């Protein structure tokens, strides 16, 4: 699987930025908090893979790394535009981004590159299993009143799927798969999960307080919608991704053990249709 860098832009409608998700405002707000994490997170992914660029011998993997960097840079660029709209709508996206950047800079400075890469591999697994949910159930990111928003999330999910094994393959190529390498990989997932969930929860509660319609703590209906979206039946994104999450801890695990290549067949048609998106107001 060779990922391809695509320079695409999505004319998202700023005025719907807090109210774009068909499952409700609080579900949209949760996705918006994920968006705030992406640009700084993806820059960290890029730098942690770049640390090893000169150590990668396999020309195919080198090419995949170049495309991975290109894809993540494009995602970061589009989510910056998204996050600027959130800031304009009153969500303190800039402050939250700066805090996450501070945290990631700490790891850049104070941990060895193997730990940084293991964090990236862990979070890439996380994005890959969520992307798989987004691609397999239209309720996750589809059906927005802003079609550009649904398209943007779908594009991100497709490319996260396309490059889901790149950071992992770099890790295997440079760190191997002995006991030490596996221990660092597992520890990276535990650490990344704890930090990600606590930061995401903190950001979400602050976003609820900042949105004039949900402040200060959201509504019962909104929490029910979010509960159903993440853990319940409709569609239960985290609940359904949980087994795939745990597969990470299986010895010998590889991201393509979850074979969802079939979704990638649609990429060219999907890209061809983007011209038909209405221009943003
Ligand atoms: Fe990405
Ligand atoms: Fe990624």
């Amino acid at each position: 699987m060779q990922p391809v860098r695509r320079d695409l832009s999505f004319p998202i409608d700023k005025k719907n930025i807090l109210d774009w998700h068909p499952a409700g405002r609080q579900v949209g707000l949760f996705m918006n908090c994920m968006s705030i994490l992406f640009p700084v997170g993806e820059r960290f992914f890029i730098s942690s893979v770049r640390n090893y660029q000169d150590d990668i011998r396999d020309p195919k993997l080198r090419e995949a790394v170049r495309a991975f960097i290109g894809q993540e840079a494009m995602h970061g660029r589009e989510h910056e535009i998204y996050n600027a709209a959130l800031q304009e709508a009153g969500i303190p996206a800039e402050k939250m981004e700066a805090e996450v950047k501070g945290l990631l800079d700490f790891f850049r400075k104070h941990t060895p590159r193997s730990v940084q890469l293991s964090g990236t591999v862990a979070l890439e697994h996380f994005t890959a299993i969520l992307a798989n949910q987004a691609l397999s159930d239209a309720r996750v990111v589809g059906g927005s009143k802003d079609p550009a928003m649904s398209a943007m999330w779908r594009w991100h999910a497709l490319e996260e799927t396309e490059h889901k094994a790149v950071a992992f393959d770099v890790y295997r190529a440079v760190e191997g798969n002995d006991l030490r390498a596996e221990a660092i990989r597992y520890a990276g997932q535990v650490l990344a999960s704890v930090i990600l969930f606590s930061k995401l929860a903190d950001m979400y509660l602050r976003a609820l307080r900042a949105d004039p319609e949900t402040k200060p703590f959201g509504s019962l209906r909104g929490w029910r919608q979010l509960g159903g979206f993440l853990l319940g039946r409709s569609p239960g994104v985290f609940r359904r991704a949980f087994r795939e999450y745990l597969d990470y801890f299986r010895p010998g695990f590889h991201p393509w053990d979850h074979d969802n290549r079939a979704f990638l067949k649609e990429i060219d048609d999907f890209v061809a249709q983007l011209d038909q998106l209405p221009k943003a107001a």
Side-chain angles (χ1 to χ4, degrees), residues 72 124 160 163:
E72 295 293 33
E124 280 285 283
E160 286 304 321
H163 75 224

Side-chain angles (χ1 to χ4, degrees), residues 38 42 71-72 75 124 127 156 160 163:
F38 284 134
E42 287 167 331
Q71 286 191 337
E72 295 293 33
H75 302 166
E124 280 285 283
T127 29
H156 200 163
E160 286 304 321
H163 75 224

Side-chain angles (χ1 to χ4, degrees), residues 245-256:
Y245 171 81
L246 289 182
D247 282 343
Y248 191 82
F249 297 98
R250 220 167 11 81
F253 165 79
H254 186 272
W256 283 114

Side-chain angles (χ1 to χ4, degrees), residues 5-266:
R5 175 185 175 276
R6 301 175 184 85
D7 185 355
L8 301 173
S9 51
F10 295 81
I12 56 169
D13 190 349
K14 284 187 195 172
K15 71 176 187 304
N16 288 323
I17 197 82
L18 296 181
D19 192 24
W20 64 272
H21 204 288
R25 199 171 179 103
Q26 283 188 221
V27 172
L29 213 52
F30 180 81
M31 302 296 285
N32 291 349
C33 287
M34 301 259 285
S35 172
I36 294 170
L37 291 171
F38 284 134
V40 275
E42 287 167 331
R43 252 168 256 143
F44 177 83
F45 299 169
I46 290 172
S47 80
S48 65
V49 168
R50 244 191 211 138
N51 283 338
Y52 287 97
Q53 219 164 15
D54 297 336
D55 304 300
I56 303 166
R57 297 279 156 259
D58 177 1
K60 272 201 142 162
L61 185 54
R62 289 176 76 100
E63 199 190 317
V65 164
R66 265 194 299 277
F68 166 82
I69 291 172
Q71 286 191 337
E72 295 293 33
M74 292 295 107
H75 302 166
R77 184 190 71 189
E78 289 307 298
H79 279 277
E80 285 290 6
I81 296 168
Y82 184 143
N83 298 346
L86 289 172
Q87 180 72 31
E88 261 180 61
I91 307 296
E94 282 171 13
K95 188 164 188 296
M96 292 174 180
E97 264 198 13
E99 291 164 7
V100 178
K101 181 176 181 295
L103 195 69
L104 295 172
D105 284 347
F106 175 86
F107 280 98
R108 256 191 211 119
K109 242 183 164 172
H110 298 289
T111 62
R113 60 181 188 165
S114 56
V115 170
Q116 295 172 42
L117 186 61
S118 85
T120 292
V121 174
L123 290 167
E124 280 285 283
H125 176 63
F126 197 77
T127 29
I129 59 177
L130 294 188
N132 185 52
Q133 293 297 318
L135 296 173
S136 50
D137 191 322
R139 292 172 297 180
V140 179
V141 295
S144 173
K145 61 177 152 190
D146 179 5
M149 193 59 123
S150 284
M152 184 191 169
W153 281 100
R154 190 162 188 90
W155 161 67
H156 200 163
L158 283 165
E159 291 196 345
E160 286 304 321
T161 303
E162 208 174 34
H163 75 224
K164 70 177 177 176
V166 176
F168 188 98
D169 289 341
V170 170
Y171 187 84
R172 277 276 176 271
V174 294
E175 296 293 337
N177 61 351
D178 58 13
L179 217 57
R180 177 193 152 276
E182 286 297 75
I184 295 175
R185 183 169 76 83
Y186 295 160
Q189 184 62 273
V190 173
L191 190 67
S193 300
V194 170
I195 293 174
L196 175 70
F197 279 104
S198 45
K199 196 62 205 158
L200 201 53
D202 163 63
M203 286 165 60
Y204 186 68
L205 293 174
R206 285 158 66 193
L208 277 181
R209 284 202 294 275
D211 177 346
E213 282 200 28
T214 59
K215 74 178 185 187
F217 305 119
S219 65
L220 192 60
R221 181 161 175 263
W223 281 106
R224 235 188 240 143
Q225 286 169 328
L226 184 67
F229 183 79
L230 294 178
L231 303 168
R233 267 192 222 144
S234 56
V237 177
F238 283 176
R239 177 180 56 79
R240 293 205 313 196
F242 189 62
R243 191 178 279 174
E244 289 177 15
Y245 171 81
L246 289 182
D247 282 343
Y248 191 82
F249 297 98
R250 220 167 11 81
F253 165 79
H254 186 272
W256 283 114
D257 292 348
H258 301 148
D259 186 358
N260 59 351
R261 271 173 302 179
F263 291 120
L264 300 177
K265 287 189 204 134
E266 73 172 74

